[in-house]
């Protein structure tokens, strides 16, 4: 009995918060003015798989440098997955990334960093 009396204010506060109308919940403050315009970023990459070899060509049409890296997941459990070192793709620059597995390739993708 004493345990429930001790926690009665806590239970009441939780119950009160659960039944509050949505309009009573505080919202984050919005600064009036212009919102920042997102700058376009990211090289466009084409990845091809031929047998166990993977090649990716990445072209960066934007003025900001993009660091791209190729990631290859091999199909066989004993085959080691590979990641290439990041390469800087500067403005109006095309880079080639290559890698391979011993046997089949399960998937390949390119990651981007600013």
């Amino acid at each position: 009995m004493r345990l429930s009396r001790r926690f009665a204010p806590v239970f009441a506060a939780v119950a009160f918060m659960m039944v509050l109308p949505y309009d009573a919940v505080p919202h984050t403050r919005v600064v009036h003015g212009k919102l920042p315009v997102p700058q376009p970023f990211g090289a466009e990459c084409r990845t091809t798989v031929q047998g166990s070899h993977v090649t990716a060509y990445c072209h960066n049409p934007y003025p900001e440098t993009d660091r791209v890296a190729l990631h290859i997941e091999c199909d066989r459990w004993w085959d080691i997955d590979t990641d290439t070192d990041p390469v800087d793709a500067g403005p109006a620059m095309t880079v080639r990334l290559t890698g391979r597995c011993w046997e089949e390739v399960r998937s390949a993708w390119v990651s981007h960093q600013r």
Side-chain angles (χ1 to χ4, degrees):
M1 193 62 111
R2 288 185 182 176
L3 184 63
S4 64
R5 286 185 185 174
R6 184 182 304 167
F7 290 109
V10 174
F11 293 137
V14 169
F16 180 69
M17 292 301 288
M18 298 298 272
V19 297
L20 273 177
Y22 180 75
D23 294 339
V25 178
H27 299 286
T28 58
R29 294 187 183 266
V30 177
V31 178
H32 295 287
K34 293 183 179 180
L35 294 175
V37 178
Q39 296 296 323
F41 172 78
E44 189 157 333
C45 299
R46 293 182 322 222
T47 305
T48 58
V49 177
Q50 293 178 338
S52 62
H53 295 273
V54 179
T55 305
Y57 290 95
C58 296
H59 176 72
N60 184 12
Y62 301 114
E64 198 173 325
T65 301
D66 185 8
R67 291 178 57 87
V68 292
L70 177 64
H71 308 279
I72 302 170
E73 185 177 342
C74 301
D75 195 32
R76 306 292 176 152
W77 66 268
W78 46 264
D79 206 348
I80 299 172
D81 298 340
T82 58
D83 300 322
T84 64
D85 290 330
V87 176
D88 289 337
M93 185 177 184
T94 301
V95 296
R96 186 179 89 171
L97 305 166
T98 60
R100 67 181 299 265
C101 291
W102 285 100
E103 295 283 332
E104 298 88 12
V105 174
R106 178 175 294 174
S107 63
W109 66 95
V110 177
S111 64
H112 303 265
Q113 294 176 344
R114 284 190 184 261

